[in-house]
Amino acid sequence: MEYLIGIQGPDYVLVAADNVAASSIIQMKHDYDKMFKLSEKILLLCVGEAGDTVQFAEYIQKNVQLYKMRNGYELSPSAAANFTRKNLADYLRSRTPYHVNLLLAGHDESDGPGLFYMDYMASLAKAPFAAHGYGAFLTLSILDRYYRPDLSRDEAVELLKKCVEELNKRFILNLPSFNVRLIDRDGIHDMEKITLTAK
Amino acid sequence: MKGRNRRTTPKRSPVLARGNFSRSTTSVQKHGILKTHSKCHVLGVCRAPVDQAAVMGHGRRQSEQHLLDPERLSTTSTASRHGLEHRYRTRTTEPSATLSGTESNPMKLSGAASSPWVETPRNADAAWVKKRSFLWLSDTCRLRLRQTAHTLQNAGLPDILVWQVQEAGYLDESPIQFGQISTMQSSSGIPSQETSSLPESLPFTSSQAVPLPFPMAHGTTTLAFMFQGGVLAAADTRSSCSGLVACPASQKILPIHSHLVGTTSGTSADCALWKRILSRELRLYQLRYGRRLSTRGAAKLLSHMLHPFKGTELCVAATLCGWDGGEPDDGCRDHEGSEMEHGEGRETTKTPKAHLEKTAGASGEKVSVSKTQSSSFTKQQCSRRKISFSGPSLFYVCSDGTRLEGSLFSVGSGSPYAYSILDQGVQWGLTVEEATSIAREAVYRATHRDAYSGNSVDVYHVTSKGWTRRTREDLKEEYYREKERQRLERERRGKTLSG
């Protein structure tokens, strides 16, 4: 139902998420933002079960901020990803596991850009590109085919648009618009929303 | 002294609790009273059966209702003893009369059938809301009530008069045990006496979620949307109970405070309870911090309060419709036509609210006045204050954890039908009449198609001055009117064709 995608370039990470907040068969919101800003250069994209997403993401968000307040410097994306994964793992075998699928994207001074794929089973993988949701089945092969590690930003946006086109063509659900953001060493930049243009 | 001994347990079914008290009621007095305490206004329960059903919806299991503050649960006609008579006279006098009637002859179902509770929520809305503001006892009151209850318990009253009530330690311990489906027996600190005296298993003692007596249906149609004139909320009035109409005249839109109204969907009892808890918390917030919590804050508060119950059978799907009345704005930014509340500096409880209502209408001159007067103060606030929002606001909160901000929501089994009507006509620039008519129309169409919605429609309108309620309208009439219209239309068409 929901869709997340991330593409890592040489010095940036491009992420996009759909904008639909649904409740059974009804779209309750068409402009819902699924990205949570953990710090100046880290974004957490979160989809999954209704209340768990916001609760878990906000929990991580506040904890990352707390770390910054306590220690005076921010967590790196890799550290934040591992922290998130640890929390998921801790809750996994409790009475209240969080059923959320995440993409964490960030840019580190020393390590450069990073895209981390996590799922509700608390797995963690650093990947050059990743996607969540049913849409991932349709778009991962496109990413496999066209991805290069040295993509420029425009090319990455084009690749993203190809994926969205494929979704609009073949995915049974209507995902009319997508939020797109880009993270590089200057921080998080909002990019133009990709919307379904009338064909 | 007996007559004056109003400190008896409320008439209610077994209540389970851990905590300071150790009185459990063994009598289950039903006769149409679902849940009453001597402080029965806590649950907004009216004595008359119809009204009760109206308020409480269908007959959900009584035990599950008592997830309440223990102090609130404590029988407190003792409130009168502590000189709060002036406040509670209308309540405690009558109920206690019936209770004392019960004491003297427990077998006789006391004459509470003649409802002393004259004023029901539906009769006097404004008064009702005002009365609810008396709900909030100060901490000292509560303490004294508890002490009195203790002394009475130990006073050596005959068994028949000493009702054993186990009070819920309201979220004293980890909420994980409190209603979560677990395989462990969570029996820490619960005396065995409890379980023996209580036939049913209750959420916080049993290992499983309480099995419902019959499948509950969450049938309703509620909707709310924002427009230039504020927020409009509309709902049907049918309370259904797996195929039968439990109450055709229930109230699904509950006011929370003067500028916040919540539509309820899901389980009526849960919604009524949590709305009241939310009102209490908002009021406490206001008393503590001197300003009213915004709708966004209220939504977040409700969402976090419901979070421990995720995964249980609790079902609350509410939209909070409110008017945020201009938090004290920072003088740094120029607000044209926004409401500026001047009461930031005042810590008194009522004045910010009252002041807000006064300044709600006139925005223009107030801006300049309050700016000059409070400029120095607000300059300090500048750095701290985030962008304050004033105006209508609408949030959808669900017990599964969803919390969404939006400008149009419809919830319930009839919501798809309502959505399709609303999506056609709702825009920002509607007048109040147009908005009311489209809301009515949407509920009407939904009640026509959805079996679980029907009977009447309630429309509430929230503006800067507070909420107002349109008289309840029976949709049966609307149906006949429409049939009449269609007939006339057909006739007219027939005439034009022939003529």
Side-chain angles (χ1 to χ4, degrees), chain A:
Chain A
M1 307 291 180
E2 301 167 298
Y3 182 68
L4 301 177
I5 182 173
I7 302 173
Q8 181 198 326
D11 60 347
Y12 63 89
V13 187
L14 183 71
V15 287
D18 72 296
N19 278 337
V20 169
S23 164
S24 81
I25 59 165
I26 303 275
Q27 280 187 18
M28 299 212 78
K29 271 196 87 154
H30 314 283
D31 54 358
Y32 183 61
D33 190 4
K34 301 184 184 176
M35 305 195 194
F36 293 85
K37 182 173 151 186
L38 297 190
S39 74
E40 287 309 313
K41 293 186 193 164
I42 307 182
L43 269 183
L44 181 70
L45 287 79
C46 192
V47 292
E49 197 180 320
D52 287 351
T53 49
V54 174
Q55 286 279 354
F56 185 72
E58 283 189 350
Y59 173 69
I60 300 295
Q61 195 179 39
K62 303 312 172 201
N63 271 299
V64 170
Q65 291 299 313
L66 181 62
Y67 184 94
K68 179 180 170 189
M69 282 180 217
R70 280 188 178 148
N71 303 298
Y73 61 92
E74 292 185 341
L75 276 172
S76 67
S78 159
N82 278 288
F83 169 71
T84 309
R85 190 214 74 85
K86 178 78 167 55
N87 268 294
L88 269 175
D90 286 339
Y91 279 101
L92 182 63
R93 302 233 181 244
S94 75
R95 277 181 291 247
T96 56
Y98 284 107
H99 199 290
V100 290
N101 295 317
L102 310 166
L103 282 183
L104 192 142
H107 190 281
D108 194 20
E109 298 285 320
S110 45
D111 297 335
L115 176 66
F116 297 88
Y117 171 101
M118 277 170 278
D119 74 355
Y120 70 100
M121 287 273 164
S123 64
L124 171 67
K126 185 170 188 304
F129 57 86
H132 271 301
Y134 287 121
F137 291 95
L138 295 166
T139 51
L140 278 174
S141 47
I142 298 179
L143 290 166
D144 279 330
R145 185 169 176 208
Y146 291 110
Y147 177 79
R148 295 185 327 269
D150 58 350
L151 279 175
S152 77
R153 290 163 198 228
D154 295 327
E155 285 170 347
V157 174
E158 283 311 309
L159 182 53
L160 181 63
K161 285 193 176 150
K162 276 204 192 85
C163 292
V164 170
E165 259 175 49
E166 179 62 23
L167 281 183
N168 289 332
K169 188 167 174 209
R170 288 289 182 185
F171 191 39
I172 196 177
L173 296 182
N174 183 30
L175 297 174
S177 71
F178 294 80
N179 266 352
V180 184
R181 293 206 165 100
L182 185 123
I183 310 177
D184 62 5
R185 68 185 150 85
D186 299 323
I188 303 174
H189 312 281
D190 286 340
M191 308 203 68
E192 201 183 317
K193 260 192 193 179
I194 299 181
T195 50
L196 183 70
T197 48
K199 295 208 170 89

Side-chain angles (χ1 to χ4, degrees), chain B residues 269-486:
Chain B
D270 288 331
C271 289
L273 171 68
W274 284 101
K275 283 282 157 60
R276 292 187 72 95
I277 293 182
L278 181 65
S279 323
R280 177 189 74 191
E281 294 303 325
L282 292 182
R283 177 69 173 143
L284 282 174
Y285 184 95
Q286 187 184 5
L287 290 170
R288 284 175 187 146
Y289 302 105
R291 65 181 181 90
R292 200 190 307 157
L293 192 57
S294 63
T295 316
R296 171 187 299 272
K300 194 151 194 181
L301 183 62
L302 184 61
S303 176
H304 284 209
M305 288 198 291
L306 292 174
H307 181 67
F309 300 95
K310 189 172 154 87
T312 66
E313 313 253 4
L314 186 139
C315 182
V316 172
T319 61
L320 299 179
C321 325
W323 187 283
D324 295 331
E327 321 227 331
D329 198 359
D330 27 357
C332 311
R333 304 186 327 132
D334 246 19
H335 265 285
E336 286 181 331
S338 74
E339 278 123 22
M340 278 197 53
E341 190 187 336
H342 184 204
E344 156 79 333
R346 305 183 205 158
E347 292 310 310
T348 54
T349 61
K350 288 282 194 189
T351 27
K353 211 167 150 183
H355 190 84
L356 166 72
E357 290 171 16
K358 272 188 289 177
T359 59
S363 48
E365 61 273 27
K366 282 290 175 192
V367 171
S368 51
V369 165
S370 33
K371 255 194 193 164
T372 48
Q373 287 183 353
S374 58
S375 58
S376 58
F377 187 88
T378 51
K379 274 207 189 82
Q380 298 164 19
Q381 297 298 314
C382 246
S383 43
R384 286 190 276 139
R385 185 68 59 183
K386 295 192 195 129
I387 296 176
S388 71
F389 173 75
S390 82
S393 107
L394 180 57
F395 280 84
Y396 167 65
V397 178
C398 187
S399 55
D400 66 4
T402 315
R403 179 177 25 104
L404 298 172
E405 179 181 14
S407 53
L408 170 69
F409 285 115
S410 173
V411 186
S413 58
S415 65
Y417 309 110
Y419 264 121
S420 30
I421 302 292
L422 293 170
D423 283 336
Q424 291 194 339
V426 166
Q427 346 147 12
W428 183 261
L430 293 173
T431 65
V432 178
E433 290 77 27
E434 286 170 356
T436 315
S437 95
I438 201 175
R440 259 182 78 256
E441 175 91 18
V443 175
Y444 166 64
R445 300 283 170 204
T447 57
H448 182 59
R449 282 287 176 183
D450 182 31
Y452 295 110
S453 312
N455 297 106
S456 313
V457 60
D458 273 338
V459 181
Y460 277 68
H461 181 208
V462 186
T463 56
S464 56
K465 298 188 175 54
W467 56 262
T468 51
R469 194 185 98 156
R470 196 169 158 275
T471 25
R472 178 170 286 189
E473 183 190 342
D474 193 339
L475 289 173
K476 186 174 53 180
E477 312 297 327
E478 178 65 25
Y479 177 74
Y480 291 133
R481 275 200 294 268
E482 198 187 14
K483 283 280 161 249
E484 190 61 26
R485 270 200 299 272
Q486 284 174 355

